[in-house]
Amino acid sequence: MAKTKTRFYCQECGYSSPKWLGKCPGCNFWDTMVEETLSDRPHFSSPAAIPQPIDDVEIGEMPRIVTGSQELDRLMGGGIMRGSIVLVAGDPGIGKSTMMTELGRYLDPLTVLYVSGEESARQVKLRAQRLGAATPNVLLLAETNTESILKAIEDSVPDVIVIDSIQTMYDPVVSSAPGSITQIRESASSLMRLTKKMNAATFLIGHVTRSGSIAGPRVLEHLVDTVLYFEGDRNHGYRILRAVKNRFGSTNEIGVFEMTNTGLKEVLNPSEIFLSERQSGATGSCVICAMEGTRSLLIEVQALVTRTSYGTPQRTSTGFDPKRLQLLLAVLEKREGLELGGHDVFLNVAGGMRADEPAADLGVAMAIASSLHDVSAEKCGVLIGEVGLGGEVRGVSRLEMRLGECAKLGFESAIVPNRSLQGFTPLEGIRVIGIETVSEVLQLLLP
């Protein structure tokens, strides 16, 4: 008889250890190590596959399920791919279950099987009625046993399967508790195999840890075809759905939604929404243009620079990399002579967005200079450019697409790197100012 083996793993980062540890060496959190009993599941041999030349592999059609939601379809690469498995993760209450419930309305008359491991069928129906998604094509199943779920899928033959959530599923053959690494891996693997066999599409809702990463083993993210991550603050109305992995589309796309009483509404022109509350002539405010996949977004960056009351000045940023902020402050001090050593700097990207692209550097730097000298940066228009350590402004990609969005929203001028203007065709309605260094922009801002 096989001997039972156990090990300990961290619920936060997945670190594995043969013995219990009070503090996890991987993430430095206390009391996160839990015991796991390794599975004695028998391994069955399958017929050996025969290699074949790549030229002989038949691709055939790649069928997609078009939902009718422009944001979701673009994010998925043109629609939901049949035979794919998608992991949807995000903070509690961000809108994961809401979006998955609304799939019934989007996909009518296709059959959607909604498997709930956290709520009863009655609770799911109440939410579906509130969202207007209680359509006859939706089948509800309140179950956590993976074997029962697989049998229900084979009997009902749905087009789309929703598992809410994968952390609540358990395989009775595995002796570990639901939510453990082994249970998540085995349950997801079984669902993946059946999804490919039936040529359906499966959505797995996943929990996140305190650090914001997806709970469970890292192999879960490798196992699925697409990973969608919900971003945004629950206290704000806007939600960003970002594709961080996509085998059937771009990994740079985002979908913008607004959370309302009747569910998630598409935001087809997010630039206009993000700038709608911008105050004219306000100091410390600049507009940048960031690329998110094939979409260009105009975003407001706000900075507040005040004299510090502490021995060490504070540097706080929301929606922007704190280390990148430190770098830009060092460039402004060293290269441009701005005295920021005795000032607190607070930076915010409005609307709950994240400005991760290097092209946001110039706008962030000018927002800081505008707040420091209490001068409006509105005459600069839209600021686009990456700032180097020598104070130079480096080129950016897809300039015509960025400036087209600026002109569409009524901006009359834009400051861009000279290096990006080579071969550029001027656009009507917007004046483009090419610059080489940050000093040239400061001269326009602070004559």
Side-chain angles (χ1 to χ4, degrees):
M1 187 171 181
K3 184 184 292 186
T4 303
K5 298 180 180 180
T6 61
R7 67 174 177 179
F8 296 85
Y9 76 96
C10 176
Q11 298 181 92
E12 290 292 328
C13 66
Y15 179 86
S16 177
S17 171
K19 62 179 181 178
W20 184 84
L21 300 172
K23 181 180 180 181
C24 173
C27 60
N28 293 324
F29 283 138
W30 288 90
D31 298 326
T32 58
M33 304 293 289
V34 296
E35 186 177 7
E36 174 191 19
T37 303
L38 300 184
S39 172
D40 288 332
R41 178 192 293 271
H43 296 279
F44 299 98
S45 59
S46 57
I50 302 175
Q52 58 179 320
I54 191 171
D55 291 340
D56 296 343
V57 178
E58 295 183 3
I59 298 177
E61 295 184 3
M62 302 290 283
R64 291 182 183 267
I65 302 172
V66 179
T67 66
S69 169
Q70 296 182 35
E71 296 292 296
L72 183 59
D73 287 339
R74 186 184 62 255
L75 188 68
M76 299 293 293
I80 303 171
M81 181 67 71
R82 286 189 177 273
S84 66
I85 185 164
V86 182
L87 177 62
V88 183
D91 293 332
I94 202 71
K96 305 183 297 296
S97 297
T98 298
M99 168 160 280
M100 293 298 100
T101 305
E102 288 184 313
L103 280 178
R105 184 179 69 237
Y106 292 144
L107 300 177
D108 194 15
L110 297 180
T111 303
V112 178
L113 175 62
Y114 193 105
V115 181
S116 176
E118 301 175 350
E119 301 172 290
S120 65
R122 184 173 180 272
Q123 288 175 302
V124 177
K125 182 178 179 179
L126 288 173
R127 181 172 65 244
Q129 287 180 333
R130 175 173 57 85
L131 301 175
T135 53
N137 63 310
V138 178
L139 306 176
L140 298 182
L141 176 64
E143 182 59 76
T144 57
N145 187 319
T146 305
E147 290 186 352
S148 300
I149 294 170
L150 296 176
K151 186 177 185 307
I153 293 173
E154 291 179 335
D155 292 342
S156 58
V157 195
D159 297 287
V160 176
I161 306 154
V162 177
I163 306 295
D164 186 8
S165 64
I166 188 61
Q167 275 78 17
T168 62
M169 301 296 130
Y170 76 93
D171 190 328
V173 177
V174 181
S175 56
S176 301
S180 66
I181 287 181
T182 306
Q183 284 286 7
I184 294 175
R185 182 175 61 240
E186 293 294 334
S187 298
S189 298
S190 300
L191 289 165
M192 183 267 293
R193 288 191 294 269
L194 187 58
T195 296
K196 305 293 184 183
K197 176 184 175 182
M198 298 182 61
N199 201 30
T202 298
F203 287 84
L204 307 179
I205 295 180
H207 297 169
V208 295
T209 62
R210 284 179 290 181
S211 58
S213 59
I214 299 174
R218 197 70 177 179
V219 70
L220 179 61
E221 297 177 56
H222 294 288
L223 184 72
V224 301
D225 298 306
T226 304
V227 178
L228 304 181
Y229 202 92
F230 258 110
E231 300 175 359
D233 190 342
R234 285 180 295 171
N235 299 319
H236 290 80
Y238 298 108
R239 303 287 190 268
I240 311 297
L241 187 59
R242 187 183 303 273
V244 296
K245 173 187 176 180
N246 193 351
R247 289 174 178 162
F248 308 112
S250 172
T251 56
N252 297 318
E253 294 287 356
I254 66 167
V256 184
F257 300 87
E258 182 181 8
M259 180 64 79
T260 65
N261 292 333
T262 56
L264 290 166
K265 302 289 185 183
E266 293 181 273
V267 178
L268 300 179
N269 191 355
S271 296
E272 187 175 5
I273 298 294
F274 293 145
L275 299 178
S276 61
E277 299 181 26
R278 182 170 179 256
Q279 295 181 353
S280 178
T283 62
S285 172
C286 286
V287 178
I288 63 172
C289 186
M291 293 300 302
E292 295 285 356
T294 58
R295 156 183 282 174
S296 53
L297 297 178
L298 295 184
I299 308 170
E300 180 187 6
V301 176
Q302 298 174 322
L304 180 62
V305 181
T306 60
R307 289 199 174 276
T308 184
S309 302
Y310 308 95
T312 303
Q314 300 182 71
R315 275 81 172 96
T316 304
S317 65
T318 302
F320 191 77
D321 184 7
K323 294 183 179 179
R324 191 74 182 174
L325 174 60
Q326 294 279 11
L327 183 148
L328 293 175
L329 293 174
V331 171
L332 291 175
E333 278 200 279
K334 177 73 174 180
R335 305 297 182 188
E336 311 303 333
L338 298 186
E339 298 180 0
L340 296 165
H343 293 79
D344 295 331
V345 178
F346 303 94
L347 187 73
N348 176 53
V349 180
M353 285 291 295
R354 285 199 59 83
D356 296 324
E357 194 187 14
D361 289 352
L362 187 59
V364 171
M366 290 307 106
I368 293 170
S370 169
S371 179
L372 176 66
H373 292 279
D374 206 26
V375 175
S376 172
E378 192 167 350
K379 55 187 173 185
C380 294
V382 182
L383 294 146
I384 305 170
E386 177 186 355
V387 175
L389 294 181
E392 76 278 9
V393 179
R394 297 176 173 269
V396 298
S397 61
R398 292 180 281 188
L399 184 62
E400 291 189 12
M401 188 178 296
R402 298 175 194 264
L403 294 177
E405 183 71 12
C406 299
K408 187 172 71 174
L409 289 182
F411 284 91
E412 299 177 352
S413 63
I415 297 177
V416 303
N418 254 337
R419 294 169 181 81
S420 299
L421 293 177
Q422 297 178 2
F424 171 71
T425 303
L427 300 176
E428 286 188 26
I430 185 166
R431 183 169 62 99
V432 180
I433 304 171
I435 48 95
E436 294 283 348
T437 63
V438 177
S439 300
E440 297 178 40
V441 192
L442 287 174
Q443 289 175 7
L444 294 173
L445 181 66
L446 309 170

